[in-house]
Amino acid sequence: MFDTLPLGWLQLKHQKLRLLSAILGITFAVILIFVQLEFREALFVSAVRYHSGLDYDLVMVSPRTQYLISAKEFPRNRLYQAQGIPGVSAVTPIYSRLANWRNPIDRSSSRSIFVLGFDPSDRGFSRILTPQAHDEIKIPDQVIFDRMGRDEYGPVADLMSEKKSVSTEVNDREVTVTSLYAIGTSFGLDGGMITSDLNFLRMFPKDKKTSITIGLIHLNAGENPQQAQTRIRSAIPTDVLLLTREQFMELEKSYWNNTTPIGYIFAFGAIIGVIVGLIIVYQILFADVQDHLPEYATLKAMGYSQGYLRNVVLQQAIILGILGFLPGLGLSILVFEQAAGATRLPLDMSTESALQIFTLTVAMCAGSGLLTLRKLRGIDPAEVF
Amino acid sequence: MAGEAPIALQDVSYTYGKGVRQKQILFDISTSVQAGEIIILTGPSGSGKTTLLTLMGALRSAQQGSVKVLGQELKNAREKTQLQVRRQIGYIFQAHNLLDSLTISQNVRMALQLGRTKRSESKQRITEVLERVGLGAHIDKYPGELSGGQKQRAGIARALVNRPRVILADEPTASLDKQSGRDVVELIQELAREDGAAVVLVTHDNRILDVADRILHLEDGRMRSLTEAVSEGTSRMLNLL
């Protein structure tokens, strides 16, 4: 048909108050969906900050390790065994544990902090630490502090910009922060510090030097990680887990998603958002169709088909979806800016996820529209006389 | 199709409901309406005149007998045929039935865009038809801003914009005062004559019977001549006195 009047839009526009309340309702649902899905995404991105920050081709962990912060110990010898296998160029044993950090300003307040220890002459931390920082931790009781950690650790970064170093106690041992790195927090991690293997063992005197929690494996250039993985696996005992980068990150994500209720809660929250949106749009469209039933019957009497009326209702649903999505997007961005500042979680909305949620919103509205259509089926044009 | 009446009914019966609740509402109606002819359909409420009108308007499927409108048989017609016939008919509703969220000209356009008018002509057509019914000054107003008579005129403009060959009107004067009712009927008459359309007008309103070329009287679903009906009514009245 040529130049047809956009009846659905004209009807929506005619009742401005109802249109406004519909848009507000959908905006609310959109924000709910955005926040839930974005927090869920942030959970996953933040959970693998160290996994993606470290430099390695394969990683060795204990089979009992479920997630990074509570990585379990395994014999360091397994890693050295892997070093002898063709294709492997180097290995980096890493010690990791939660330690007790005292706030350098208020020493009565303490908080647990994630500590990594490695031999500064090994490879693996070049993307996180400067070469200078590598040298600094060779000196006893010197550590590098994550400036993206939570504020409860004290204003370490501010103090560092005033003087060269900050001293405090970790596990009741006096240590000195000589420089900073930037990794950030996650749901299980408030903050971290990195030091040498020797300094690490000074903080944890009961730990055995021969037990490590993470083993980084570097392969020769051009080596295929999957093939090397198979080769190493067949050569060493099966009491350790050998993972590629992707598998290591997947292990962490699946812990937060499946083993903790956190992933589930956010997914559930998003589903609630969709349901709330569905109900709101359905209510609005239903009331709208109900009000216009005599008009639709008139149109049918004039010769408009059922299909035309269906399109009018779907048109309204999709317009509502678009009009509700845009303010929802804007407000969500504001919410994320606030929340990212407060939590230091990676809450930057990607275009991709915005598009996904846009599709979801329009689908939600169209779904409500389809539910409303059942009402239309009963229209008898003979009733208008 | 030449010479064929735009509306031709043959032995039409119609029954509502099923089983014990079944109620026959029309009995063996036969009549036809010629082009340019104005028929007024009268009768007490419940006599079946609205049912008859909806059968002619392809809003119901005829069950028995033959209903031919514009050459199309509507007995057991499919939805598609019904829609096709509806688009060629101009309806004037009892309550104007304009769409509240559209302006007067948009309301007329809703009817026009069902027809075959080209886009370039449509604006002119709408203006023309609204001027013809005396609403030239109200083209961009919403129905809510018009009086009852003006709304009914807008409804007529909508019904006539496609120059239909059949016009059906259900109590077009019911909600109007005497003068606007008279104006509206005369307007229908004038436009029907100009376009040579077949007109069927259902009404209770005795004041407008004079515009008809022929009056059909329905009582209990059966067609009776007006003289019979009038004489019976008069004798009953006399008895009462």
Side-chain angles (χ1 to χ4, degrees):
Chain A
M1 258 191 268
F2 73 94
D3 191 32
T4 315
L5 275 178
L7 181 62
W9 166 238
L10 292 171
Q11 285 184 334
L12 283 178
K13 201 179 68 167
H14 193 66
Q15 283 165 309
K16 300 217 164 45
L17 214 60
R18 176 180 284 177
L19 178 62
L20 188 70
S21 68
I23 290 174
L24 284 178
I26 297 163
T27 302
F28 173 73
V30 168
I31 294 175
L32 202 57
I33 299 169
F34 256 121
V35 167
Q36 299 293 335
L37 289 183
E38 210 47 45
F39 271 104
R40 186 167 182 270
E41 187 59 31
L43 164 70
F44 292 138
V45 173
S46 66
V48 295
R49 288 183 199 268
Y50 281 100
H51 303 63
S52 47
L54 290 170
D55 183 23
Y56 59 95
D57 297 306
L58 295 171
V59 67
M60 190 180 279
V61 291
S62 158
R64 293 178 296 126
T65 293
Q66 286 185 297
Y67 61 108
L68 184 73
I69 299 154
S70 83
K72 303 287 188 269
E73 296 177 335
F74 66 93
R76 188 178 57 176
N77 270 344
R78 293 283 172 273
L79 192 61
Y80 290 145
Q81 279 173 304
Q83 192 172 22
I85 292 161
V88 176
S89 70
V91 297
T92 308
I94 298 176
Y95 304 85
S96 73
R97 282 272 233 139
L98 286 173
N100 209 14
W101 165 278
R102 277 190 197 283
N103 188 321
I105 300 296
D106 172 17
R107 292 236 176 170
S108 62
S109 136
S110 70
R111 198 176 181 91
S112 60
I113 190 168
F114 184 59
V115 189
L116 289 165
F118 77 109
D119 181 345
S121 58
D122 282 343
R123 288 161 54 183
F125 286 76
S126 55
R127 277 194 267 169
I128 302 175
L129 303 183
T130 58
Q132 191 203 341
H134 278 78
D135 287 337
E136 285 165 8
I137 54 176
K138 287 177 184 163
I139 295 159
D141 297 320
Q142 292 202 357
V143 300
I144 318 294
F145 180 81
D146 182 3
R147 64 179 168 83
M148 301 287 281
R150 291 184 60 86
D151 294 337
E152 286 85 346
Y153 293 104
V156 180
D158 293 345
L159 294 171
M160 290 289 289
S161 62
E162 287 165 22
K163 26 184 195 163
K164 284 199 71 135
S165 65
V166 174
S167 293
T168 188
E169 276 174 44
V170 173
N171 280 3
D172 299 324
R173 193 180 171 91
E174 192 76 12
V175 299
T176 305
V177 178
T178 54
S179 46
L180 301 169
Y181 69 102
I183 277 279
T185 59
S186 77
F187 282 74
L189 181 73
D190 290 341
M193 53 185 253
I194 300 174
T195 188
S196 70
D197 49 350
L198 296 174
N199 283 333
F200 182 93
L201 292 166
R202 286 186 184 109
M203 285 178 222
F204 299 96
K206 287 179 198 151
D207 279 19
K208 282 179 294 186
K209 197 177 176 10
T210 53
S211 291
I212 59 170
T213 53
I214 305 162
L216 304 184
I217 298 174
H218 309 276
L219 300 176
N220 290 330
E223 197 73 45
N224 180 311
Q226 272 90 20
Q227 286 169 5
Q229 185 184 25
T230 326
R231 210 156 50 230
I232 301 169
R233 258 188 197 151
S234 58
I236 59 170
T238 55
D239 57 354
V240 289
L241 220 52
L242 196 65
L243 305 171
T244 61
R245 288 182 75 95
E246 291 73 31
Q247 289 167 339
F248 191 31
M249 293 181 200
E250 204 40 58
L251 178 80
E252 187 81 20
K253 286 181 184 176
S254 84
Y255 170 78
W256 292 106
N257 195 21
N258 301 327
T259 315
T260 71
I262 300 174
Y264 174 76
I265 285 169
F266 287 121
F268 188 71
I271 291 168
I272 295 288
V274 172
I275 292 173
V276 167
L278 259 171
I279 292 172
I280 292 171
V281 182
Y282 178 71
Q283 290 277 357
I284 299 281
L285 282 180
F286 189 86
D288 201 60
V289 168
Q290 185 85 16
D291 282 1
H292 290 120
L293 275 185
E295 295 189 352
Y296 291 152
T298 304
L299 290 176
K300 273 189 109 171
M302 285 164 59
Y304 280 95
S305 62
Q306 187 72 19
Y308 175 83
L309 298 181
R310 197 163 53 225
N311 284 343
V312 168
V313 174
L314 284 180
Q315 183 188 62
Q316 293 184 332
I318 290 166
I319 289 171
L320 287 177
I322 294 170
L323 290 183
F325 176 79
L326 293 176
L329 177 71
L331 288 171
S332 300
I333 290 173
L334 284 180
V335 168
F336 291 149
E337 274 173 7
Q338 288 297 312
T343 60
R344 305 230 168 127
L345 286 170
L347 291 168
D348 342 288
M349 190 185 312
S350 65
T351 320
E352 195 190 334
S353 69
L355 278 176
Q356 273 173 4
I357 291 171
F358 176 66
T359 316
L360 191 66
T361 311
V362 172
M364 171 182 88
C365 292
S368 308
L370 289 174
L371 282 174
T372 321
L373 288 178
R374 291 177 313 166
K375 186 82 197 164
L376 276 186
R377 225 175 287 153
I379 293 182
D380 183 359
E383 277 168 19
V384 300
F385 277 106
Chain B
M1 224 167 69
E4 200 177 351
I7 303 174
L9 308 183
Q10 191 68 49
D11 300 324
V12 175
S13 298
Y14 195 86
T15 309
Y16 281 113
K18 280 189 179 129
V20 276
R21 292 192 163 181
Q22 185 164 311
K23 185 168 188 262
Q24 187 161 2
I25 203 100
L26 290 177
F27 298 87
D28 304 319
I29 309 284
S30 297
T31 189
S32 64
V33 188
Q34 302 299 324
E37 193 179 19
I38 299 182
I39 302 279
I40 284 191
L41 196 55
T42 64
S45 29
S47 61
K49 46 189 198 309
T50 297
T51 307
L52 193 58
L53 198 70
T54 54
L55 284 171
M56 293 179 196
L59 302 182
R60 289 180 204 286
S61 274
Q63 298 161 332
Q64 281 167 36
S66 157
V67 178
K68 271 193 163 179
V69 177
L70 296 166
Q72 288 275 8
E73 177 55 71
L74 291 175
K75 186 185 164 192
N76 300 327
R78 287 185 307 163
E79 171 109 16
K80 205 181 155 195
T81 318
Q82 288 187 327
L83 285 181
Q84 218 172 9
V85 172
R86 285 179 204 167
R87 288 179 188 181
Q88 300 176 60
I89 294 177
Y91 292 96
I92 298 160
F93 303 93
Q94 178 171 353
H96 55 86
N97 284 30
L98 296 170
L99 275 61
D100 287 333
S101 36
L102 303 186
T103 63
I104 298 306
S105 73
Q106 285 172 332
N107 263 290
V108 175
R109 207 170 124 194
M110 284 304 288
L112 190 67
Q113 69 191 15
L114 280 170
R116 294 212 182 94
T117 311
K118 289 200 193 81
R119 189 185 169 175
S120 51
E121 293 169 22
S122 67
K123 201 174 156 62
Q124 196 197 344
R125 258 304 253 299
I126 293 167
T127 320
E128 250 173 41
V129 77
L130 282 170
E131 272 167 5
R132 233 168 123 193
V133 299
L135 290 176
H138 305 288
I139 283 182
D140 290 321
K141 286 191 178 164
Y142 285 91
E145 301 170 76
L146 299 185
S147 73
Q150 287 172 324
K151 280 190 255 195
Q152 196 57 285
R153 284 154 184 272
I156 292 169
R158 177 175 68 179
L160 299 187
V161 69
N162 282 327
R163 298 194 181 122
R165 290 172 52 222
V166 170
I167 296 169
L168 304 177
D170 185 36
E171 311 255 11
T173 60
S175 51
L176 302 179
D177 62 55
K178 188 181 169 196
Q179 188 53 46
S180 356
R182 186 76 219 170
D183 290 350
V184 159
V185 172
E186 275 171 7
L187 186 63
I188 295 174
Q189 186 184 28
E190 182 194 321
L191 298 177
R193 289 265 148 78
E194 277 175 33
D195 292 350
V199 180
V200 178
L201 230 151
V202 165
T203 190
H204 270 118
D205 191 348
N206 294 328
R207 298 172 300 195
I208 61 170
L209 294 181
D210 61 294
V211 300
D213 296 318
R214 192 145 56 93
I215 296 175
L216 295 177
H217 187 77
L218 268 184
E219 226 171 284
D220 296 331
R222 286 173 222 276
M223 197 88 87
R224 302 178 67 177
S225 76
L226 188 67
T227 37
E228 270 172 24
V230 169
S231 64
E232 193 179 300
T234 319
S235 63
R236 212 184 285 149
M237 197 103 82
L238 287 172
N239 282 341
L240 208 67
L241 287 168

